[in-house]
Every structure is written in structure tokens, then in C-alpha cells.
Amino acid sequence: MESVTIKDIAKRCNVAVSTVSRAINNHPDINPETRRKIMQVIEENHYIPNNSAQNLKKSVSKTIGVVIKGADNQLFAKMRPVLVEGIAQYDYDSDMEYISISGDEIREALRLVKEKRLKGLIFLGGNHNRTAEELKSVPVPFVMCTVDMEETVPKELYSSVSVDSYRESYRMVDYLCTKGYRKIAILAGSKGDESVGRLRLNGYRDALAAHQIPMEEKRILYSQDWAEDVFSMENGYRMAKKLIESEVDFDCVYAVADSIAIGACRALLQSGLKIPEQCGLAGFDGLDETKYYYPSITTMRQPVKEMAEEAVRMLFSMLHKGAPNQHSIFPGELTERESTMK
Amino acid sequence: MESVTIKDIAKRCNVAVSTVSRAINNHPDINPETRRKIMQVIEENHYIPNNSAQNLKKSVSKTIGVVIKGADNQLFAKMRPVLVEGIAQYDYDSDMEYISISGDEIREALRLVKEKRLKGLIFLGGNHNRTAEELKSVPVPFVMCTVDMEETVPKELYSSVSVDSYRESYRMVDYLCTKGYRKIAILAGSKGDESVGRLRLNGYRDALAAHQIPMEEKRILYSQDWAEDVFSMENGYRMAKKLIESEVDFDCVYAVADSIAIGACRALLQSGLKIPEQCGLAGFDGLDETKYYYPSITTMRQPVKEMAEEAVRMLFSMLHKGAPNQHSIFPGELTERESTMK
DNA sequence: TTGTACGCGTTATCAT
DNA sequence: ATGATAACGCGTACAA
């Protein structure tokens, strides 16, 4: 339990702690011979520097915080390793923090920055209507990843990497219209959604309008307000069931997230509908599952890997070169699959 | 950037740092009045104690390490929040570390324990053939979660929470036999698998034997040795494809993991086979997706939430009460679904 | 009840 | 090239 410290190593080597420190940190002015010997003793005793002491001393730990909103979001799960590796390439550590979908990521971030002396932040998910006040309160550079901010929020107050939820949602619905679907139902998030759910819903609205298709309120399905559960397959299943039982007329279902689409797909097939012959289906995000469902499900893929890499690049350009806040918008990849290929 | 420290607070309050410290840590002997005032100043200045300094001082940080093997394992993703919350209830912090599926979790754990002065460890996944040496080298109590150790490893050297992969796999195949399936193909892990894959394969072997069904090597499909990829849907799809094209006779497919089963399911349906009429299908783990596939997929559910809770309970019983190593085996839940209900 | 002073393990700045 | 020592921010025994 009582770990071996740098002092122990120094003693065992009959040198001063400073010499050991030099050996560890590859300092130039040290006799290669003593260095070799010290490293050997370190090996033998399985000595490993105390992280807390290092950070305390360095006063500013080389650590980037990653605040992940939504515990089992699969997109974020795919981004995590990319971020860790990317950050490591700059010789920084990463500190991952998961917070609930209903939590306040900015408040949490503030705590972390102080507590762990973080040098920068990457947010995965979050509300898109933060106030200027809130954004200004973050004392280190940060990048919002996969979250479209409200237009009213000044662009110079934050950096971001995202796909344009509104625009790509519009594209998707436009595509569905082009395929001949006219009565497209949408499975949206919760009614009070302040995140991507609403933006995608807006894209749906405007695309229909552009095709002169009257929008029926009845074809908009909201989920119950069980916050954590909004983007679950179960919720998709429930909403689709409700749609089917409501006897509302529809020839296509568009879900604002693939997880919702998968649940919905089962409900549709179970009710005897043929996909895509009697009913089209499309999702959003590009989860792997959509490729292996039968029928495979049309989706708007988000290039998560590239986005994560860009977020890291962007963050360090601000950190190292003092670059100003930037915004990078990635195009979604409309992936046409069996569910809409009649 | 230059954070406010406990000294600053002390100065602003005209008290000594120790008094501030007492206020923060709810010490009994402090004037409620001064305490109130100090807390107020702390609020106003957004003071938050430096984590590193606290840990360094406490010399033994109240932190539990969680080593997660396999980045996007969905089972583990479900366990994470349960673990965090459970650990927090004991007033400990958790430190999550993800390592690649080919990494050495023990070596990594050793590093972490020293570096961050961890008090205990929970492993999510890992090799099941560790040596006694390796287990003894871990200097803090630890619990292996969801990993069945080899019988030859002395039970008193580690604690574990798991379902019995061999036994439950046996049960599953036994069930399939009972349903009348006679030519059951298995989609196993990679040939050199040292983890659950092999144990589940063994269960398959013995269950067939018990039913006097001769085992055909041709019905055992191994994946390529692309380590990270073994339990992916894509790999399931590939193996099933290979099976179909091989013209080997089979009336049922059993995948050692649900993710593999999902990929396989698509391949089977795509080839025109009716499930379950012409071919049964079963997986293992109990992923949500299996419930929403069409047809829904029979699986052996692992009670992940309960297992995570038990792991925490077990760890702290060792930590606090000095309890000896323990082993808790959870029964799998054979969930019969459409894919095997002819 | 409050203040003083030391030490946690490490790195950096001086001397030597 | 190496050693002694201060400092990082905090908690706590001890003294007051």
C-alpha cells in the first residue's frame, strides 16, 4: 500500500531526488551512466510518479476535459477513443466526464476546470441555447462537438464542430419527398426539446413546405417527457405504435435519430406494413445497426471520426497558437438503404 | 487562469487557511457564523479546491479505478453509470479507463494504482487465464466483472461477478436442441480467443454431446483474427455469409454475442431464409437491439445492472470490512424471442 | 474556536 | 553533472 516514492529511489541510488527527477524527465544535463542506473532501480521497484504531485507542481496540468452528455449515446462512444488518441498526440491527458442528459454541462465543466486545472474542454452534446453569459464564464478554450447552437448566440463566443441538423434534416425530408413520399410522419424528440431534436423537426417542416406539402400536426409524434429515454429504441417503438393505432394516414416515417428509427421499424413491420413498399423509413446519425437491420435503414450519417479529429485540432490551434474561435460544419452523408428504395 | 486558492479565501475572510479548510470539510469545531461567512465568500469567488492537492495530501485518494476493456461494448456502457453512482454512494470517486481489447488490463491497472493512488479496482472484461503471479501483483482489492476465470486459477486470489459463460451457453444450446434444432452452427470468436468466446464454444460442444448430436467442425465459424473487430456486427455478417456460401447444412445459428447475431441475422434474411421457420437464431448478452429486430432475437440476457451493483458492494466489503475475496455468479436470463419460436 | 506550521511527492531554481 | 531547497494547494496535529 505504501507506495515507493521518488525519495526511495534516490536513497537506493545514493543520489538526490533532483537527479532522479532529471533522469525521469529526460533532462539533458545528466550523466548517461547515472541515468541508466537510476532507470534500472526504478524498473526494479516498479516506481511510478504520483500523478497528483506532478499536477500540483506543474500547477497547470496538461489535461483536456471531455464532457459527454448522455450515457449510452453510441455516436459519442465512437468518438471517445478518437478524442483520447488525438489529445494524446499533443502530449496531453484526457479526462472523460459523463453527465446525464438533463444535467447542466457548463456548470459541470466549470467545476472540473477548477478542480482538475483543465486546460481545455470538448463538449459532446448539450443544449443549443446557452446564453452569452454562460459561454463567457468558461475560462478555458472549448469546442462544442455535435451541437448546433442557436443562431442568436454570438459565434465568436465559442468554437464548434457539427453537422447542420436543420439543413441535413431538410435534405433528408427533401430526399424522401423526391422518392414520392407525401405523407411523412416524424418521430420527434420531446416537446420541450432544446437540442438537435427541434432543429431536425424544423428542417422537416421547411422541406415539406418547399414541396408544397401541407403539414399535418397529427403526423408529428412527440415522446413522453421521460428525459433520459427520449432517444431510446423503446421510445421509437412506442411512438410508432401510437402512430399506427391513431389511424393517421402516412406513407413514410422519419425518425430524428436512428435509435428511434430502429424501435419504430419493428413496430411498423410487426403491424404488417411492408417496408419500403407500403411505408418508407429513415433515421438520422448513421448508427451501425441501421446497416444490418432487415431491411437496412436509410440514414444521414454523421462523420463522427472526422468530427472528433477536427475538434481536437481546433482546440489545440486555440490552445497553442492562440487562434480565435472557429466553426467547422461537416456535411452529413445521406445513406440510401433498402427502407426507402421502392 | 490563475485560480483562486484556499489562501485567497482565507485572506478575504481574515481567517487562517485551516479555518477555511474546516468550513469546507464540515468540521465540527467551528463557529457557525464564521463558517457561514466563509462559505459565502467561497461562493462569490467560485472557489473550488484543487483536486491534485487534496489527493496528494490525503496521500490515499478515495478513488476506485474502473478498467474497461473494449471501447464500444454496450454491456459495459450500461454498467458504467451504475458503477459511478454506486461508488459515489460510498463517498468515493471513480476513475474510468478504457483499454483496447488487445491490451493488458493488469499491467494498465498497476500503472493506474500507483499513478493515481487508487484504493480499489473493478475490471470490466478481460482475459480469463491470468496467472497467479499476475493476480497477486495487484496491490489493492479488485473485482473482475463479467469475466469467467479459468478453473485452474485459485479462487482466493481474486473476486468476481459474472454469469457462467460455459453453463449458460450450454443452457442456450440445450434449449435450441429442445426446440428441435439439430444442425446448429456456431459463430464463435477468433480461434485464439482467451475470453468468453471460448467458454461459450465449450458450452455448445458439451450441450450437443449431451443430446447425442455429433459435432461438425464445419459448423463452427471462427472470425478472422482482426482483434478489435471480433464482436462486431460486421463480423457476424461476414461469418454468416461464409456459412451460407459454404453449403454446409444447418438449421440454426447460435452466435456467441448479440452483436454478432445481429449481423448474422441480416445475412440470413438476405439470403432468403425464413427465421425461425427455416433457420433458428440465438445470441448472447441481452442487448436492447435484439428486442427490436424483426424478428426479435432469442438471447441470454446478462443482468448487467445487478452485476454492477454487486461488484461495488463486493469491493467495498473487502475495502471496509476486510472481507476475503468472493465470487458471485448471476444466472443468465434465457429470453425466448421470435427467432426461435417456430 | 482559531491560528501556526509541517508534510504529502514532485519539479524547478539555484548553488556547488 | 549533481545536490539542496523552495514551492505547488491543501489538511491536520498541535499550540494558543
Side-chain angles (χ1 to χ4, degrees):
Chain A
M1 217 64 155
E2 334 65 28
S3 322
V4 18
T5 77
I6 197 172
K7 283 183 193 168
D8 301 320
I9 301 297
K11 228 168 274 177
R12 294 226 207 322
C13 294
N14 290 319
V15 296
V17 289
S18 45
T19 310
V20 178
S21 179
R22 273 189 279 264
I24 295 170
N25 300 328
N26 292 315
H27 263 74
D29 47 352
I30 182 173
N31 189 320
E33 180 54 31
T34 43
R35 181 174 190 289
R36 207 192 47 71
K37 190 190 162 192
I38 290 173
M39 292 314 276
Q40 190 192 326
V41 175
I42 285 179
E43 274 301 318
E44 287 172 2
N45 295 64
H46 305 110
Y47 165 70
I48 294 183
N50 181 320
N51 208 240
S52 296
Q54 288 182 315
N55 287 340
L56 177 57
K57 179 59 199 173
K58 283 195 293 223
S59 133
V60 49
S61 68
K62 290 177 76 169
T63 309
I64 301 299
V66 180
V67 179
I68 304 176
K69 190 160 183 177
D72 44 5
N73 184 313
Q74 294 193 51
L75 287 189
F76 298 165
K78 285 212 185 296
M79 288 180 150
R80 191 174 26 66
V82 181
L83 292 174
V84 171
E85 198 175 333
I87 291 170
Q89 279 177 0
Y90 286 91
D91 201 29
Y92 272 62
D93 284 333
S94 11
D95 184 78
M96 302 283 162
E97 293 286 338
Y98 287 84
I99 72 168
S100 96
I101 209 165
S102 54
D104 182 340
E105 65 275 8
I106 299 264
R107 236 166 55 94
E108 192 64 12
L110 251 42
R111 190 180 62 75
L112 285 169
V113 168
K114 305 239 178 179
E115 197 170 298
K116 312 208 170 171
R117 300 302 184 257
L118 304 179
K119 257 211 161 172
L121 287 165
I122 293 178
F123 291 94
L124 259 37
N127 297 346
H128 72 253
N129 61 350
R130 318 291 335 196
T131 67
E133 283 304 308
E134 290 174 308
L135 295 177
K136 279 189 208 153
S137 74
V138 182
V140 296
F142 64 97
V143 178
M144 302 284 203
C145 198
T146 72
V147 29
D148 312 70
M149 289 295 249
E150 203 88 56
E151 288 297 330
T152 56
V153 182
K155 292 277 184 208
E156 61 273 18
L157 292 183
Y158 67 99
S159 288
S160 72
V161 174
S162 60
V163 307
D164 185 333
S165 274
Y166 168 80
R167 184 168 155 275
E168 304 300 0
S169 183
Y170 183 106
R171 263 181 70 209
M172 175 59 92
V173 175
D174 178 63
Y175 156 81
L176 293 174
C177 292
T178 308
K179 290 299 266 188
Y181 294 110
R182 282 292 171 274
K183 291 172 277 185
I184 305 169
I186 184 170
L187 308 185
S190 68
K191 223 156 189 163
D193 195 321
E194 302 189 327
S195 142
V196 290
R198 199 171 81 200
L199 297 170
R200 293 180 189 166
L201 178 57
N202 290 344
Y204 161 84
R205 279 211 173 99
D206 295 356
L208 286 190
H211 282 265
Q212 276 109 31
I213 298 177
M215 210 193 60
E216 297 278 346
E217 277 299 333
K218 293 201 160 188
R219 293 213 183 94
I220 304 180
L221 279 280
Y222 293 101
S223 64
Q224 320 276 4
D225 260 343
W226 303 341
E228 300 285 342
D229 181 55
V230 172
F231 291 96
S232 70
M233 292 179 283
E234 174 61 25
N235 193 36
Y237 183 77
R238 274 200 303 259
M239 287 195 283
K241 264 270 193 265
K242 213 164 88 183
L243 175 66
I244 294 163
E245 287 163 6
S246 73
E247 311 254 323
V248 170
D249 202 19
F250 65 93
D251 61 6
C252 183
V253 170
Y254 167 46
V256 298
D258 282 340
S259 44
I260 295 176
I262 289 170
C265 193
R266 171 164 177 86
L268 294 170
L269 293 170
Q270 206 175 12
S271 77
L273 285 168
K274 301 280 176 236
I275 297 175
E277 295 78 6
Q278 298 174 272
C279 178
L281 174 69
F284 200 110
D285 280 345
L287 294 195
D288 289 344
E289 280 86 339
T290 58
K291 185 174 170 191
Y292 298 98
Y293 211 99
Y294 192 78
S296 55
I297 299 170
T298 293
T299 186
M300 179 67 69
R301 198 179 80 84
Q302 301 200 49
V304 287
K305 193 160 168 297
E306 291 78 3
M307 291 170 73
E309 286 167 350
E310 172 67 8
V312 173
R313 204 176 310 126
M314 194 178 275
L315 183 65
F316 280 99
S317 85
M318 301 195 290
L319 227 45
H320 287 164
K321 306 179 200 153
N325 277 314
Q326 301 153 59
H327 300 275
S328 179
I329 294 182
F330 279 74
E333 188 184 308
L334 206 166
T335 310
E336 185 176 38
R337 298 246 181 74
E338 294 161 355
S339 69
T340 55
M341 297 172 79
K342 16 180 204 186
Chain B
M1 219 63 158
E2 333 67 28
S3 321
V4 20
T5 78
I6 197 171
K7 281 183 196 165
D8 301 319
I9 301 298
K11 229 170 273 177
R12 293 223 207 324
C13 295
N14 290 319
V15 296
V17 289
S18 49
T19 310
V20 178
S21 178
R22 272 190 279 264
I24 295 170
N25 301 329
N26 293 315
H27 261 73
D29 48 352
I30 183 173
N31 189 319
E33 181 53 31
T34 42
R35 181 174 190 290
R36 206 191 48 70
K37 189 190 164 192
I38 291 173
M39 291 314 276
Q40 189 192 326
V41 175
I42 286 179
E43 273 302 317
E44 288 170 2
N45 296 63
H46 305 110
Y47 165 70
I48 294 183
N50 181 320
N51 210 239
S52 297
Q54 289 182 316
N55 287 340
L56 178 56
K57 179 58 200 176
K58 284 192 294 220
S59 135
V60 48
S61 69
K62 291 177 75 169
T63 308
I64 302 300
V66 180
V67 180
I68 304 176
K69 192 161 181 175
D72 45 5
N73 184 313
Q74 296 193 50
L75 286 189
F76 298 165
K78 284 211 186 295
M79 289 180 150
R80 192 174 24 68
V82 181
L83 292 174
V84 171
E85 198 175 335
I87 291 170
Q89 279 177 1
Y90 287 90
D91 201 27
Y92 272 63
D93 284 333
S94 13
D95 184 78
M96 303 282 160
E97 293 287 338
Y98 286 83
I99 73 169
S100 96
I101 210 164
S102 56
D104 182 340
E105 66 276 9
I106 299 264
R107 236 166 55 96
E108 192 64 12
L110 252 43
R111 190 181 61 76
L112 284 169
V113 168
K114 305 238 180 181
E115 198 169 297
K116 311 208 170 173
R117 300 304 186 254
L118 304 180
K119 256 209 159 174
L121 287 165
I122 293 179
F123 291 94
L124 259 36
N127 296 346
H128 72 252
N129 61 351
R130 319 289 337 197
T131 68
E133 284 303 308
E134 289 174 307
L135 295 177
K136 280 188 207 153
S137 73
V138 182
V140 295
F142 63 97
V143 177
M144 302 283 203
C145 198
T146 71
V147 28
D148 311 69
M149 289 295 249
E150 203 88 57
E151 287 296 330
T152 56
V153 181
K155 291 277 184 208
E156 61 274 17
L157 293 183
Y158 67 99
S159 289
S160 73
V161 174
S162 61
V163 307
D164 186 332
S165 272
Y166 167 80
R167 183 168 157 275
E168 304 300 0
S169 184
Y170 183 105
R171 264 181 70 210
M172 174 60 91
V173 176
D174 178 64
Y175 155 81
L176 293 174
C177 293
T178 308
K179 291 298 266 188
Y181 294 110
R182 282 290 170 277
K183 291 172 278 185
I184 305 169
I186 183 170
L187 308 185
S190 68
K191 221 156 190 161
D193 195 321
E194 301 187 327
S195 142
V196 290
R198 198 171 82 201
L199 297 170
R200 293 179 189 168
L201 178 57
N202 290 344
Y204 162 84
R205 280 213 172 99
D206 295 356
L208 286 190
H211 282 265
Q212 276 109 32
I213 299 177
M215 210 193 60
E216 297 279 346
E217 277 297 333
K218 293 201 160 187
R219 294 212 183 95
I220 304 179
L221 278 282
Y222 294 100
S223 64
Q224 321 276 2
D225 259 345
W226 302 341
E228 300 286 342
D229 182 54
V230 172
F231 291 97
S232 69
M233 292 179 282
E234 173 61 26
N235 193 36
Y237 183 79
R238 275 199 304 257
M239 287 196 282
K241 265 269 191 267
K242 213 164 88 183
L243 175 66
I244 295 163
E245 287 163 7
S246 73
E247 310 252 326
V248 171
D249 203 18
F250 65 93
D251 60 6
C252 183
V253 170
Y254 167 46
V256 298
D258 282 338
S259 46
I260 295 176
I262 288 169
C265 194
R266 171 165 178 86
L268 294 171
L269 292 171
Q270 205 175 13
S271 78
L273 285 168
K274 301 279 176 237
I275 297 175
E277 294 78 6
Q278 297 174 275
C279 178
L281 174 68
F284 200 110
D285 281 343
L287 294 195
D288 289 343
E289 281 86 340
T290 57
K291 185 173 169 191
Y292 299 98
Y293 212 96
Y294 193 77
S296 55
I297 299 171
T298 294
T299 186
M300 180 67 70
R301 197 179 80 83
Q302 301 200 48
V304 287
K305 193 161 169 294
E306 290 78 3
M307 291 170 74
E309 286 166 351
E310 172 68 9
V312 174
R313 204 177 311 128
M314 193 178 274
L315 183 65
F316 280 100
S317 84
M318 300 195 291
L319 226 46
H320 287 164
K321 306 181 200 151
N325 277 314
Q326 302 153 58
H327 300 276
S328 179
I329 295 181
F330 279 74
E333 188 185 308
L334 179 48
T335 309
E336 186 176 37
R337 298 247 180 73
E338 294 162 355
S339 70
T340 56
M341 297 172 79
K342 17 179 204 189

